[in-house]
Amino acid sequence: MTTHYYTASSLDGFIATPEHSLDWLLKQDIDENGPMAYPGFISGIGALAMGASTYEWVMQHENGVWGYEQPTWVFTHRGLTVPAGADVRLTHDEVPDVHAAMTEAAGGKDLWIVGGGDLAGQFADAGLLDEVWLQYAPVTLGAGSPVLPRTLDLELLDVARNRAFLCGRYRVLRLTPNVK
């Protein structure tokens, strides 16, 4: 079981504009059956975690329709509306506790940290982020939400081109403290 942060980024390292827009991303050319594309990725995912802003963006842009079958934990301190029949669990619990619950619910499949780089960073801070998948779009934004606002060492595992996107899959390296 692997915990992934799978997202798209502008070439200058942003996942959304300062206004939280993804219009720059949604107009890009990608082969949904190509390398490192979403359908192949999501088929191996058993549970998701996302922040409240990502959840609200999904709900707004999907007109309130929940498109995920997997159980999803939404990290929030706000009261949010959950669509009927959706397995959405609002939480403000600690990342390790949520990760343990996600692992149990995933039934042996992988976990996906959706959307915000800060939430993925919190999983990395807890030593619970294994891989980062980035789909680089041929656009620069100049400002916005950073892809991963943390200092992490990564090892490149795989690279591919999917039409307009340069795709990379990285392993998060676990640094061991110096022992005296």
Side-chain angles (χ1 to χ4, degrees):
M1 195 230 46
T2 303
T3 302
H4 305 277
Y5 174 44
Y6 177 93
T7 194
S9 174
S10 64
L11 290 179
D12 54 350
F14 298 104
I15 59 174
T17 69
E19 299 78 29
H20 307 290
S21 173
L22 295 180
D23 291 344
W24 62 272
L25 173 63
L26 301 176
K27 68 181 183 181
Q28 301 299 323
D29 183 29
I30 192 164
D31 178 356
E32 290 295 331
N33 296 310
M36 296 193 202
Y38 177 79
F41 172 78
I42 194 71
S43 67
I45 299 299
L48 293 76
M50 64 179 65
S53 295
T54 299
Y55 176 77
E56 290 175 320
W57 188 93
V58 168
M59 295 307 297
Q60 178 183 1
H61 288 85
E62 298 299 328
N63 298 316
V65 175
W66 188 247
Y68 298 105
E69 297 174 7
Q70 300 88 342
T72 303
W73 281 257
V74 176
F75 285 79
T76 185
H77 291 283
R78 302 184 297 234
L80 299 172
T81 302
V82 174
D87 190 353
V88 174
R89 306 161 192 206
L90 305 178
T91 186
H92 56 270
D93 292 343
E94 296 295 320
V95 164
D97 297 332
V98 173
H99 187 270
M102 292 173 65
T103 299
E104 185 175 325
K109 288 189 167 189
D110 291 348
L111 309 180
W112 178 23
I113 313 307
V114 183
D118 187 60
L119 182 60
Q122 291 176 46
F123 277 78
D125 292 346
L128 298 170
L129 183 65
D130 301 307
E131 290 188 0
V132 175
W133 292 45
L134 290 174
Q135 323 307 321
Y136 294 99
V139 63
T140 58
L141 301 178
S145 301
V147 68
L148 199 82
R150 295 293 193 280
T151 301
L152 293 177
D153 287 324
L154 306 171
E155 175 188 2
L156 182 63
L157 297 176
D158 195 9
V159 65
R161 178 181 179 180
N162 186 326
R163 293 191 184 155
F165 288 85
L166 174 62
C167 308
R169 182 172 68 96
Y170 302 85
R171 175 181 302 129
V172 176
L173 300 177
R174 307 251 191 272
L175 301 177
T176 53
N178 292 332
V179 179
K180 293 185 177 185

